[in-house]
Amino acid sequence: MSSATKALTLLSYFSTSRPEIGLSQMCRIAGRDKATTYRHLQALETAGFVEQIPATKQYRLGPALLQLAQVREATVPRKDGAKAALAALADATGETAHATLLSGNVLYGLCDCESPHHSTRAVIDMNVFPLHATASGLCSLAFGPEELLRTAVTNLEAFTENTATTEAELETLVEDVRLTGFGRGDKSFATETQGLAVPVFDHTGHFAGAVAVASVASRFTAELECSIKSELIIAAREITRNWGGTIPDAIEALWTASLNNPTEMESTS
């Protein structure tokens, strides 16, 4: 790893939960000696990538990153940041992959990609996703703003016999997503479709939307579910990275625990 790479890697240790880091703490996090870490921080400070707070001597992200982030956001739209990951997801799972974007209290469809491996495919033909009846919507309720749940319960339309139509039913589904890290649409929007979704995050550190796979229910098995979940994680990490974010450690831990418990997945399929 080059000296420049080592210096730039220090930027990844800053987050919304850890916006300021002192020299000694940075040494422990990065696993480097004090002299090397200080030299790298000095280089980053000279470039404007970090700045030192005079009162505490701790470091925080610098103003140069704001300009770069604005350029990135202006030149690489959200849709472009998701397309390649969706294509890979559809190819790996053999099912339809799609991404959604949360704006205010509305979950919009961003883009989708159908797999060429089957002639029968799930078709995504909606612009706004019901929060209570789709895997992506349940991810939004579990990891998005708290007020979303209050919005969702005002319109619990029954799309199928599996749709949650009471606040208690919806809260149970949302709690399951919070415990596993995966949203599940168990034929809740369309009887012929089984959905799985995971959250994605952007540069703000907050929930930005979801990436999902819509499977034809007749070929959905426990084995396919395990494969989809693994591929969803890969796609979520890539889209989140392209959107300037980082997957929270707590979400990564949920995914790991869920994938390490195949019995649970088999019982819910």
Side-chain angles (χ1 to χ4, degrees):
M1 185 184 296
S2 68
S3 179
T5 301
K6 289 180 179 179
L8 291 171
T9 299
L10 298 181
L11 297 176
S12 66
Y13 300 126
F14 293 94
S15 66
T16 53
S17 60
R18 189 168 56 200
E20 301 173 4
I21 305 176
L23 176 58
S24 297
Q25 184 183 10
M26 183 66 83
C27 292
R28 292 193 297 271
I29 296 171
R32 303 175 192 171
D33 63 80
K34 195 169 186 177
T36 301
T37 304
Y38 179 72
R39 186 171 68 253
H40 290 160
L41 286 170
Q42 286 293 98
L44 292 173
E45 186 175 20
T46 300
F49 292 152
V50 300
E51 59 185 12
Q52 191 174 39
I53 305 169
T56 65
K57 301 302 182 182
Q58 290 189 317
Y59 292 88
R60 63 188 176 194
L61 295 177
L65 292 175
L66 179 60
Q67 179 183 2
L68 293 176
Q70 291 173 336
V71 172
R72 169 71 180 186
E73 187 65 19
T75 59
V76 184
R78 295 293 174 92
K79 184 178 292 187
D80 288 350
K83 281 183 176 179
L86 292 182
L89 180 59
D91 184 61
T93 62
E95 303 292 344
T96 300
H98 61 97
T100 50
L101 187 66
L102 183 67
S103 179
N105 291 330
V106 180
L107 187 65
Y108 293 99
L110 181 66
C111 51
D112 62 82
C113 182
E114 296 181 10
S115 170
H117 298 313
H118 300 287
S119 57
T120 304
R121 309 163 187 166
V123 178
I124 307 300
D125 59 356
M126 52 184 167
N127 294 321
V128 176
F129 283 64
L131 296 173
H132 70 294
T134 60
S136 298
L138 292 175
C139 273
S140 301
L141 296 177
F143 303 114
E146 292 183 6
E147 63 267 18
L148 281 184
L149 187 57
R150 293 193 293 272
T151 299
V153 298
T154 62
N155 181 19
L156 298 178
E157 179 182 353
F159 295 99
T160 75
E161 62 180 15
N162 286 358
T163 306
T165 55
T166 68
E167 185 173 352
E169 290 175 336
L170 183 57
E171 287 178 345
T172 297
L173 293 176
V174 171
E175 183 61 22
D176 181 69
V177 181
R178 289 174 177 156
L179 291 174
T180 65
F182 293 93
R184 174 186 292 274
D186 187 7
K187 304 177 187 177
S188 53
F189 181 74
T191 56
E192 67 277 7
T193 303
Q194 189 86 20
L196 289 169
V198 292
V200 292
F201 300 82
D202 63 14
H203 64 285
T204 67
H206 297 133
F207 174 87
V211 56
V213 169
S215 305
V216 174
S218 60
R219 58 174 176 256
F220 190 78
T221 63
E223 182 180 4
L224 178 58
E225 177 179 355
C226 186
S227 174
I228 289 174
K229 286 184 171 181
S230 296
E231 297 298 332
L232 276 173
I233 292 171
I234 295 172
R237 289 169 178 161
E238 181 178 346
I239 294 172
T240 293
R241 182 174 60 252
N242 289 342
W243 289 2
T246 303
I247 302 292
D249 291 342
I251 302 295
E252 290 279 6
L254 291 176
W255 290 343
T256 298
S258 183
L259 291 181
N260 288 338
N261 190 358
T263 300
E264 177 183 332
M265 288 190 287
E266 291 170 6
S267 66
T268 57
S269 299

